[in-house]
């Protein structure tokens, strides 16, 4: 695991954007795993206009169950707001789990299969939950987990309440699994701010435990952690 610490969120975001852009320049047909949350917004802002994204394929890590893509709190709306509307990506190459699918288990199987059909994830960016979650893989998730429906913890629902503005924050989500993430050729984890300090230190400690999902990344040979 490689570590890079930055004095500010802006510098972290610039560096993350550089990794994103360089990887696409090197492989214009790159398959990316993409996170949501507040942390990657600065990276997404800096990617715009820097390279052609026409031939890349993206898979988002997760989506809320029961929330349509039009709802501002959905991760689909987030991705269009912060990235997809501002780059020349082909909409057909963007993938986000459908949390409104009538058969959610079938949707999870379909999603996992489409990642495999695309040749697997080449470069995956991750955020970090305060409790160490990656994607929506909460503490206790088996490291061999695949795409599935999960219950969100109370603390995660509170941390993510912002965009639901009084609406009920979803209790469930679809997330790609830890095993799915670990199959990505390269992984870059972004974590910024005081609220992530404890989780960052726990990750740095080297402890490996299913009670701390991000610790699964210690088993991967190409992980870079960017902190500020
Ligand atoms: C959500 C997402 C995660 C993300 C986390 C951290 O729970 N499902 O993928 O890493 O938020 O978000 P933030 O960057 O806002 O702290």
């Amino acid at each position: 695991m490689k570590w890079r610490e930055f004095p500010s969120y802006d510098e972290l975001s610039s560096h993350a954007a550089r990794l994103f852009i360089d990887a696409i320049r090197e492989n214009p047909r790159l398959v990316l795993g993409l996170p949501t949350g507040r942390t990657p917004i600065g990276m997404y802002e800096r990617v715009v206009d820097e390279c052609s994204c026409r031939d890349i394929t993206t898979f988002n890590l997760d989506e809320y169950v029961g929330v349509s893509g039009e709802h501002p709190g959905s991760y689909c709306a987030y991705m269009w707001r912060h990235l997809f509307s501002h780059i020349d990506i082909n909409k057909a190459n963007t993938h986000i789990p459908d949390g409104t699918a009538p058969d959610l288990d079938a949707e999870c199987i379909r999603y996992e299969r489409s990642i495999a059909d695309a040749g697997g994830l080449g470069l995956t960016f991750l955020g970090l939950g305060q409790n160490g979650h990656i994607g929506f893989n909460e503490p206790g998730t088996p490291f061999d987990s695949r795409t599935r429906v999960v219950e969100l913890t109370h603390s995660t629902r509170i941390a993510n309440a912002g965009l639901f503005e009084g609406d009920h924050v979803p209790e469930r989500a679809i997330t790609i699994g830890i095993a799915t993430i670990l199959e990505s050729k390269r992984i870059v984890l972004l974590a910024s701010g005081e609220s992530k300090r404890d989780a960052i230190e726990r990750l740095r400690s080297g402890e490996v435990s299913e009670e701390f999902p991000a610790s699964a990344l210690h088993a991967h040979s190409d992980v870079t952690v960017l902190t500020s």
Side-chain angles (χ1 to χ4, degrees), residues 36-39 61-62 75 127-128 133 135-136 156 160 196:
T36 49
R38 288 164 289 261
T39 316
L61 307 178
D62 42 22
Y75 285 162
L128 180 66
H133 73 232
F136 266 137
T156 296
N160 293 359
K196 302 293 168 69

Side-chain angles (χ1 to χ4, degrees), residues 87-145:
I87 59 176
D88 59 347
I89 198 161
N90 177 353
K91 185 171 187 217
N93 293 347
T94 65
H95 303 271
I96 302 177
D98 179 1
T100 64
D103 182 341
L104 292 171
D105 291 337
E107 169 61 8
C108 294
I109 292 167
R110 185 199 65 79
Y111 200 72
E112 186 80 32
R113 193 175 298 136
S114 19
I115 295 174
D117 289 348
L121 300 169
L123 170 60
T124 298
F125 287 89
L126 300 173
L128 180 66
Q130 290 173 32
N131 61 8
H133 73 232
I134 48 176
F136 266 137
N137 295 289
E138 298 276 31
T141 300
F143 287 171
D144 62 359
S145 55

